[in-house]
Amino acid sequence: MEMKFCWLASFILIVISSCNEKGKSKQPASPQEVKLDAVAVPQKSMSYSAQDSVALLKLTKDLYKWNQTGNNDDFFSPLQKETTDTVYAGLDMNLHKQKLEAIKRSGLFTETFISNYNKIALLIDANMKDGTLQWIIGELPPFGNGANPWCNCQDVPDDFLTKLYIMHLQAEDKGIFYNWGDGSGGTPYNIKAVKENNQWKINYMEGFDYDSFVRGIQEQIGFTGKWQNDMVVLNIGESSLAFEYHGQCVYFYPVKKISDTEFEMIWARDMDCKFDNGTRETFGLKKVPQIGKPFAKFVLKDKTLYAEYYYKEWVEKYTQQVQDHVFTIKYVRK
């Protein structure tokens, strides 16, 4: 048990009564990550016990045992109305209802989680039906990060459950926020559990964060996000644009926003690259891109990003003599 000792100058006196709540200094909680049979043991000053930690480990393992059974690892199934369609019409709401029932029957999730899961599906379906999201048949969905939201992973190892452990437990808002890992070196996955009818249940999973889905859909509407042609990827934010040639070569340019669908790219020399992309060349021209001046105007129309270059002759020379398919007229969303 943790005790506080009050020292007097001439002798030692243990004064139990003086070590009350008023005398305690509040320190920020910093749970230690301790592995004990794959359980992170919380500090005794926290408002939950080691038994709770054991229960949460079991809940997490039960979650993924269920998830790996049958089709429980699927999510948000699309609907193809006609065999000749190239774009899904929306989500298959019949399959979605079956999924909701499977989630409820598992007994692992709170009503809040189930409601949130349904809310995300309705959001995706509505945006697919009005054309904001286009899910091309045979391709990855236009939402999420390309990974399975149940684990933020591509494939689960065969011995995954034997290596799973939980860590970084934090008591908050009538529940416990924590994350799990499996020793593979991947990014920990965040979960929150609360007690319903005296039983720990999953209340939140980071792969099903509603706000993240909203932000992803909003990126489909405006010019921000990733765009590409045959050579480069344009990673566009509200105030900057990154020309990504590949993982080891990126050139950065400021952005001047005109509207949600228009912006100007400002010329610059900022880069993180092991080779010269040739943009310093003048090709003997008098009119060449100037640092700090607008280089091009980009306009989003019909889900395509169109570029109007202010130095057309320079762009033509660059395309002919240095590298084609860099400064193109059209870019499509990646």
Side-chain angles (χ1 to χ4, degrees):
M1 176 180 293
E2 181 180 345
M3 302 181 64
K4 289 194 173 181
F5 294 89
C6 303
W7 295 79
L8 297 181
S10 58
F11 61 94
I12 301 173
L13 179 64
I14 301 176
V15 184
I16 301 296
S17 60
S18 67
C19 297
N20 54 23
E21 290 297 322
K22 293 182 180 180
K24 292 182 180 179
S25 61
K26 295 184 179 180
Q27 299 293 331
S30 57
Q32 299 295 317
E33 180 184 334
V34 180
K35 292 183 183 178
L36 178 60
D37 293 330
V39 174
V41 179
Q43 291 180 333
K44 292 184 179 180
S45 60
M46 301 297 285
S47 59
Y48 54 91
S49 66
Q51 286 75 18
D52 289 324
S53 186
V54 171
L56 290 176
L57 176 63
K58 182 181 183 302
L59 172 66
T60 309
K61 289 191 174 185
D62 287 344
L63 162 66
Y64 287 104
K65 286 178 184 176
W66 169 84
N67 183 244
Q68 296 302 302
T69 302
N71 295 320
N72 290 327
D73 65 340
D74 62 359
F75 58 96
F76 309 135
S77 301
L79 175 65
Q80 182 178 352
K81 284 189 173 181
E82 304 292 340
T83 56
T84 55
D85 288 347
T86 58
V87 177
Y88 291 115
L91 293 186
D92 190 323
M93 298 311 290
N94 287 328
L95 290 178
H96 172 63
K97 290 177 182 178
Q98 294 174 24
K99 184 65 178 183
L100 283 179
E101 288 302 317
I103 291 175
K104 291 177 182 178
R105 286 195 305 270
S106 73
L108 298 168
F109 303 92
T110 65
E111 290 296 328
T112 298
F113 178 90
I114 297 169
S115 175
N116 177 76
Y117 186 94
N118 185 52
K119 187 178 176 182
I120 293 172
L122 295 177
L123 173 73
I124 294 171
D125 183 63
N127 281 274
M128 289 177 69
K129 287 178 177 176
D130 69 15
T132 300
L133 292 179
Q134 286 194 337
W135 189 345
I136 299 173
I137 294 174
E139 296 190 4
L140 290 172
F143 52 82
N145 58 7
N148 187 324
W150 289 104
C151 58
N152 271 353
C153 61
Q154 299 293 339
D155 298 300
V156 176
D158 294 335
D159 57 350
F160 165 70
L161 289 174
T162 63
K163 297 180 179 179
L164 187 146
Y165 60 93
I166 63 174
M167 54 191 172
H168 304 146
L169 283 72
Q170 295 181 354
E172 60 173 47
D173 191 23
K174 300 180 181 179
I176 296 179
F177 185 89
Y178 65 98
N179 50 50
W180 60 258
D182 62 1
S184 63
T187 304
Y189 187 91
N190 296 310
I191 289 179
K192 182 178 178 181
V194 301
K195 276 190 175 181
E196 274 190 358
N197 299 322
N198 206 35
Q199 179 182 349
W200 284 109
K201 293 186 178 182
I202 303 296
N203 195 60
Y204 167 88
M205 298 179 72
E206 69 169 272
F208 297 103
D209 182 271
Y210 180 80
D211 291 338
S212 295
F213 278 89
V214 170
R215 286 193 297 270
I217 291 173
Q218 288 175 340
E219 286 186 352
Q220 303 290 327
I221 300 173
F223 61 74
T224 58
K226 290 191 175 185
W227 301 81
Q228 66 180 8
N229 58 21
D230 292 338
M231 176 60 65
V232 296
V233 172
L234 275 58
N235 196 339
I236 306 171
E238 292 284 339
S239 60
S240 64
L241 180 156
F243 259 78
E244 301 176 359
Y245 290 83
H246 52 68
Q248 293 183 323
C249 186
V250 183
Y251 278 71
F252 303 96
Y253 302 92
V255 161
K256 179 183 177 182
K257 182 178 179 180
I258 300 172
S259 70
D260 289 338
T261 58
E262 296 179 279
F263 70 91
E264 283 185 322
M265 167 184 163
I266 311 301
W267 199 245
R269 294 282 185 218
D270 296 331
M271 66 173 179
D272 182 5
C273 187
K274 294 185 177 181
F275 67 84
D276 185 352
N277 70 350
T279 53
R280 292 178 181 272
E281 297 291 337
T282 63
F283 309 111
L285 300 174
K286 292 183 178 180
K287 186 178 180 181
V288 297
Q290 301 293 313
I291 294 178
K293 299 291 183 67
F295 171 73
K297 180 181 178 181
F298 289 82
V299 178
L300 176 59
K301 184 178 180 181
D302 298 329
K303 302 187 183 300
T304 301
L305 193 62
Y306 294 90
E308 176 190 347
Y309 297 103
Y310 298 152
Y311 301 87
K312 293 182 180 179
E313 189 176 3
W314 183 90
V315 170
E316 290 175 0
K317 292 289 186 182
Y318 181 91
T319 301
Q320 294 169 1
Q321 300 183 29
V322 180
Q323 181 65 61
D324 58 358
H325 303 301
V326 173
F327 301 111
T328 56
I329 300 300
K330 298 180 182 179
Y331 298 84
V332 296
R333 191 175 290 280
K334 179 174 173 62

